Amino acid sequence: MVSLDGYAQRQGEPRKVSMRVGGDEEVIWIDLGRRDWSGVKVTKDGWQVVREMDVAFVRSGTMLPLPIPRREGDIRDLGRVLNVRREDFVLVAAWLLQVLNPVGDYPFINVHGESEVGKTFMCNIILKTVDPRTTELRKPRKVEDLLIAARNNWTIGFDNFSWMSWEFSDTLCMIATGISSGARTLYTDDEEHTFTVRRPVIFNGIPGDLTERSDLASRTIKLEIPRIVQRRTKSDLEREFEAIWPGVLGALLDGLVGGLRDQSSVKVDDPARLMDFEQFAEAGCRAMAFEEWEFVNAYKANRHGSMVVAAEASAVGRAVVAFIKDHPEGFRGQMQHLYGRLSHYDYKGDTSWKDWPKSPTRLSTELSRLSKPLAALSIRCLTKVDRRQEGGTQKDVVIEYVFKFKKKAEEQPEAKTKEVGKVVKRPSIRRI
């Protein structure tokens, strides 16, 4: 082995290796994980099972094979074994499409709901559809566990999150867009071993505000699982999944063909943060017989809900909402003045000083992070605004409603109807 390793390093040509999925914007290669190393080649013209692939793949010890995909499958068959709302199923299909796409950033899926609604089983089935393996969902204790999981698996699944630290949240965001990590090489003092990964992630938990940080919330598809009306055994669901699995995989491959072919023609007004994913998923979902713009509209509504939760989960966000309700005219002035007003008990509420920004500078950072969540509540929040022409400073803060509100409803003037002498008072109208 040592001789072969030395020969490879000196004589061989370096090649990029992939795990489960590889390729580019023109061709996607999928490793089926079978003994004969067969795979699937996907282009804009179609897909086919092949014996040889132009991408070098590596496999971890936990990887299991995918079934041979079957043509003319229906992605909606997967809904028979998933406890998901009908309007949210298109989001699951879109996420599965992106998992099989080697290009672009990956959104997260956060499955949440009451206990005993099948969150863990649902996550495992979603992962198994595109990346089966011997290990199921795991419970990470520290950031290093997350990086190890990302290095040895194409998809990552975490179970029963009840709380997420800021460090863990930031690391997840970097994994979705690509992260490099390094450690000292074994038996050396000055050499570093590094690796770069970009992985799809799914996790579940009971609290709906698990992804309260706006940078994580803007990358997350949140699926609220409804109560189970009619229970079925796990073995029964697994047998049905095994029967529909080849057809579901074939339907996803049809979606990949549509994504490669039509992604560039999809033009989304007010695109999401993960714009490439949004365009690719919309094109792919159309190829899987979803309605035009069905995914984009569902994704937009889902993001809006996540932003509202992020604003309401933040102590500063709640204070801003309470403040502007009392002062619909908004605030324009220096950050230190706003800090003093928001720190009042009427707006800070029962939030401990430990969880409150320690200074106006910290408040400025928090308001910048909350700009999109507050915008979901129709509140515009701008920091470092040059208001010198208005008598302000070069770094003022502006908080205002996107729409102008009036404190009291105005009575419209009396108007006469066609009936002579009859006076009708128009109802009060609050302008928003």
Side-chain angles (χ1 to χ4, degrees):
M1 292 299 294
V2 174
S3 299
L4 289 175
D5 184 61
Y7 179 83
Q9 292 187 25
R10 291 181 178 274
Q11 303 296 329
E13 295 182 2
R15 296 184 64 184
K16 178 183 178 181
V17 295
S18 301
M19 180 178 291
R20 185 67 82 178
V21 177
D24 51 32
E25 296 90 346
E26 301 294 331
V27 183
I28 296 176
W29 301 88
I30 301 172
D31 179 14
L32 292 176
R34 309 179 78 85
R35 288 187 176 182
D36 60 1
W37 284 89
S38 59
V40 179
K41 178 182 179 181
V42 186
T43 68
K44 63 181 180 179
D45 298 318
W47 61 268
Q48 60 179 330
V49 178
V50 296
R51 295 292 183 182
E52 295 183 358
M53 294 180 285
D54 294 343
V55 173
F57 283 101
V58 295
R59 295 175 178 175
S60 66
T62 61
M63 184 182 291
L64 292 176
L66 284 163
I68 298 297
R70 186 175 64 239
R71 297 186 183 276
E72 298 182 358
D74 189 348
I75 186 64
R76 289 174 177 80
D77 288 342
L78 187 61
R80 287 154 38 189
V81 296
L82 295 181
N83 182 26
V84 62
R85 300 178 191 277
R86 179 176 299 179
E87 60 270 22
D88 289 339
F89 182 74
V90 66
L91 300 173
V92 176
W95 188 83
L96 289 171
L97 270 183
Q98 186 63 13
V99 171
L100 296 176
N101 181 14
V103 179
D105 300 333
Y106 297 102
F108 306 104
I109 281 191
N110 173 23
V111 177
H112 67 95
E114 300 177 0
S115 59
E116 300 183 1
V117 293
K119 298 185 295 296
T120 300
F121 178 81
M122 177 173 165
C123 290
N124 281 324
I125 289 294
I126 290 175
L127 289 177
K128 187 176 181 178
T129 302
V130 288
D131 188 28
R133 58 198 175 198
T134 58
T135 57
E136 295 187 341
L137 303 184
R138 61 187 71 201
K139 182 74 172 179
R141 294 181 174 83
K142 50 187 178 180
V143 171
E144 288 75 12
D145 297 338
L146 176 59
L147 296 175
I148 292 173
R151 183 182 181 187
N152 293 285
N153 299 273
W154 172 241
T155 56
I156 313 171
F158 299 119
D159 196 20
N160 288 328
F161 269 137
S162 58
W163 178 79
M164 187 180 299
S165 68
W166 284 28
E167 181 184 12
F168 203 96
S169 171
D170 290 340
T171 305
L172 275 179
C173 291
M174 288 186 285
I175 284 180
T177 57
I179 182 175
S180 294
S181 180
R184 182 175 62 85
T185 302
L186 194 63
Y187 305 124
T188 64
D189 293 326
D190 57 355
E191 294 185 16
E192 186 181 33
H193 172 73
T194 62
F195 63 92
T196 301
V197 293
R198 185 166 48 86
R199 299 286 189 259
V201 180
I202 185 172
F203 52 89
N204 68 61
I206 294 177
D209 58 352
L210 189 59
T211 56
E212 62 182 35
R213 297 203 66 186
S214 60
D215 46 357
L216 180 60
S218 63
R219 295 181 171 97
T220 300
I221 296 172
K222 303 188 73 169
L223 300 177
E224 183 177 0
I225 306 304
R227 292 182 178 180
I228 298 177
V229 178
Q230 184 176 0
R231 291 190 175 275
R232 299 172 60 187
T233 64
K234 181 178 179 181
S235 58
D236 182 33
L237 290 169
E238 288 176 341
R239 281 194 299 269
E240 183 167 5
F241 173 75
E242 293 290 337
I244 66 175
W245 192 4
V248 168
L249 183 57
L252 287 171
L253 295 177
D254 292 338
L256 289 179
V257 173
L260 292 175
R261 182 185 62 236
D262 302 326
Q263 176 182 10
S264 59
S265 64
V266 175
K267 306 299 181 183
V268 181
D269 296 333
D270 188 23
R273 181 174 191 169
L274 303 181
M275 183 168 59
D276 291 339
F277 158 68
E278 187 176 33
Q279 291 178 327
F280 184 85
E282 173 62 26
C285 286
R286 293 178 186 179
M288 293 189 294
F290 287 98
E291 296 291 333
E292 191 172 285
W293 304 118
E294 183 175 351
F295 164 72
V296 168
N297 292 333
Y299 187 40
K300 185 175 184 179
N302 193 272
R303 296 196 319 273
H304 181 271
S306 296
M307 290 294 101
V308 171
V309 171
E312 294 175 346
S314 166
V316 173
R318 294 192 299 270
V320 170
V321 171
F323 174 82
I324 203 166
K325 284 183 178 179
D326 286 350
H327 305 277
E329 69 278 5
F331 176 88
R332 293 170 176 264
Q334 298 181 33
M335 186 65 68
Q336 59 184 3
H337 297 155
L338 178 64
Y339 181 77
R341 300 184 71 174
L342 291 184
S343 298
H344 192 274
Y345 180 80
D346 289 346
Y347 307 120
K348 185 175 76 69
D350 295 330
T351 302
S352 66
W353 287 105
K354 178 183 177 181
D355 299 324
W356 187 254
K358 302 299 187 296
S359 65
T361 302
R362 295 285 182 87
L363 177 62
S364 177
T365 301
E366 184 70 4
L367 289 176
S368 298
R369 186 180 67 80
L370 288 170
S371 60
K372 288 188 176 181
L374 289 173
L377 296 171
S378 300
I379 299 174
R380 181 184 292 115
C381 181
L382 305 173
T383 59
K384 299 180 181 179
V385 179
D386 189 347
R387 293 185 57 251
R388 286 176 292 183
Q389 293 184 353
E390 304 175 27
T393 68
Q394 191 174 0
K395 295 183 178 181
D396 274 3
V397 58
V398 175
I399 297 178
E400 60 187 2
Y401 276 119
V402 176
F403 305 103
K404 293 183 178 180
F405 286 74
K406 293 187 177 181
K407 290 184 177 180
K408 295 182 179 180
E410 294 181 355
E411 293 290 336
Q412 299 296 324
E414 294 181 346
K416 293 185 178 181
T417 65
K418 292 182 180 180
E419 297 180 29
V420 179
K422 187 175 181 179
V423 177
V424 178
K425 181 177 288 187
R426 291 175 178 166
S428 301
I429 300 176
R430 180 180 295 274
R431 299 183 183 275
I432 60 172

